[in-house]
């Protein structure tokens, strides 16, 4: 690709825990281990990236980020167990819920226009009504950290991976878990729904991709050797293709 079409790498002195793309604009938000949150407008060409704002609402690490559907707000979660909603234009903290979780929050995902999911280091999953800031559902089946979420809009199904070696499945309209997989004796780090909801791909600490068939949650139906180290994130390119990011630095 010609250099004038490439976007410069975003570089930071400290570890980036998570990042999120704006739903409509060329903006990336990043959350750092230091608690800093940065909002960057990116553009092709050397030196064209522009930092819109950078804030540090707490010294505790920012573990996850999720833009609102309209792009006006940014939901952020932290090691101190708090959820903060930020104004995307200014970085101002619009809402802070200090006691959202009793333990550090590890992951966040906006499921619908009004529903936010958060998972913490103790295995607790909570659903929130973003209009009121109230908790609408709590699931406590896991006993280790929640590492990642994915969500199927049509069936209203949330899937979660966990450090205890299992994935769990929830209909977000119901108070009880639908299913939990067999323990894989390995921390599960990332999860992604593919094949038009026929398969779920799960990345593990040992670098293996476990493939589950939708509705057959007892055990994985296939395994791919993915990386020599943990598969910490999965990004769906299309229904047949995923990109995986590992702690070995390889995509």
């Amino acid at each position: 690709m010609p250099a004038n079409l490439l976007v410069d790498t975003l570089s930071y002195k400290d570890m980036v825990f998570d990042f999120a793309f704006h739903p409509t604009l060329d903006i990336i938000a990043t959350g750092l281990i230091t608690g800093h949150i940065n909002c960057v407008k990116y553009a092709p060409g050397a030196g064209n990236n522009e930092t819109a704002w950078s804030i540090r609402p707490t010294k505790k690490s920012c573990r996850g980020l999720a833009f609102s559907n309209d792009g006006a707000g940014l939901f952020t979660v932290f090691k101190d167990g708090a959820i903060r909603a930020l104004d995307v234009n200014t970085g101002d903290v619009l809402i802070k819920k200090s006691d959202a979780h009793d333990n550090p929050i590890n992951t966040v995902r906006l499921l619908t226009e009004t529903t936010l999911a958060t998972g913490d280091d103790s295995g607790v999953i909570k659903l929130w009504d973003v209009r009121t800031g109230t908790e609408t559902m709590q699931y406590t089946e896991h006993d280790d950290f929640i590492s990642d979420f994915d969500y199927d809009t049509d069936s209203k199904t949330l899937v979660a991976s966990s450090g205890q070696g299992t994935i769990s499945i929830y209909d977000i309209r119901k108070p009880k878990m639908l299913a939990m997989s067999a323990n894989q004796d390995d921390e599960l780090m990332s999860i992604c729904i593919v094949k038009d909801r026929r398969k779920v791909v799960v990345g593990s600490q040992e670098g293996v991709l476990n493939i589950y068939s939708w509705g057959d949650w007892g055990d994985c139906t296939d395994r791919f050797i993915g990386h020599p180290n943990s598969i910490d994130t999965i990004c769906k390119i299309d229904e047949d293709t995923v990109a995986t990011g590992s702690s070995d630095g390889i995509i």
Side-chain angles (χ1 to χ4, degrees), residues 21-93:
F21 283 99
H22 192 280
T24 58
L25 302 176
D26 293 337
I27 291 175
I28 294 177
T30 57
L32 276 59
I33 193 172
T34 58
H36 287 92
I37 302 167
N38 305 282
C39 191
V40 178
K41 298 177 181 178
Y42 63 92
N48 287 338
N49 294 338
E50 176 188 352
T51 299
W53 47 261
S54 178
I55 66 166
R56 192 186 190 189
T58 174
K59 292 182 179 180
K60 300 295 183 180
S61 58
C62 177
R63 297 278 193 88
L65 306 161
F67 280 100
S68 61
N69 285 349
D70 61 6
L74 178 67
F75 300 103
T76 60
V77 296
F78 296 84
K79 186 180 178 181
D80 62 6
I83 301 172
R84 293 172 173 84
L86 310 181
D87 186 310
V88 170
N89 292 319
T90 64
D92 293 339
V93 177

Side-chain angles (χ1 to χ4, degrees), residues 178-228:
L178 294 180
M180 180 177 284
S181 72
N183 196 310
Q184 298 299 309
D185 295 320
D186 187 12
E187 292 182 351
L188 302 181
M189 308 302 293
S190 50
I191 192 166
C192 183
I193 300 169
V194 295
K195 290 286 189 178
D196 296 310
R197 206 185 70 195
R198 298 197 306 274
K199 299 290 182 179
V200 174
V201 183
V202 183
S204 72
Q205 179 73 27
E206 293 184 352
V208 174
L209 285 168
N210 297 296
I211 315 297
Y212 292 83
S213 296
W214 190 271
D216 182 12
W217 303 114
D219 203 353
C220 60
T221 54
D222 206 350
R223 302 174 87 235
F224 282 57
I225 304 302
H227 292 263

Side-chain angles (χ1 to χ4, degrees), residues 128-201:
W128 305 88
D129 187 326
V130 299
R131 297 165 297 183
T132 62
T134 56
E135 178 186 322
T136 60
M137 211 77 76
Q138 181 175 160
Y139 306 109
T140 58
E141 289 80 10
H142 291 279
D143 57 16
D144 207 340
F145 67 92
I146 303 300
S147 57
D148 198 13
F149 292 130
D150 203 359
Y151 179 69
D152 177 65
T153 303
D154 292 339
S155 63
K156 303 292 190 294
T157 302
L158 175 69
V159 294
S161 55
S162 73
Q164 76 180 43
T166 59
I167 64 170
S168 53
I169 297 87
Y170 306 89
D171 182 331
I172 66 168
R173 298 164 295 187
K174 299 177 180 179
K176 293 185 178 180
M177 179 181 67
L178 294 180
M180 180 177 284
S181 72
N183 196 310
Q184 298 299 309
D185 295 320
D186 187 12
E187 292 182 351
L188 302 181
M189 308 302 293
S190 50
I191 192 166
C192 183
I193 300 169
V194 295
K195 290 286 189 178
D196 296 310
R197 206 185 70 195
R198 298 197 306 274
K199 299 290 182 179
V200 174
V201 183

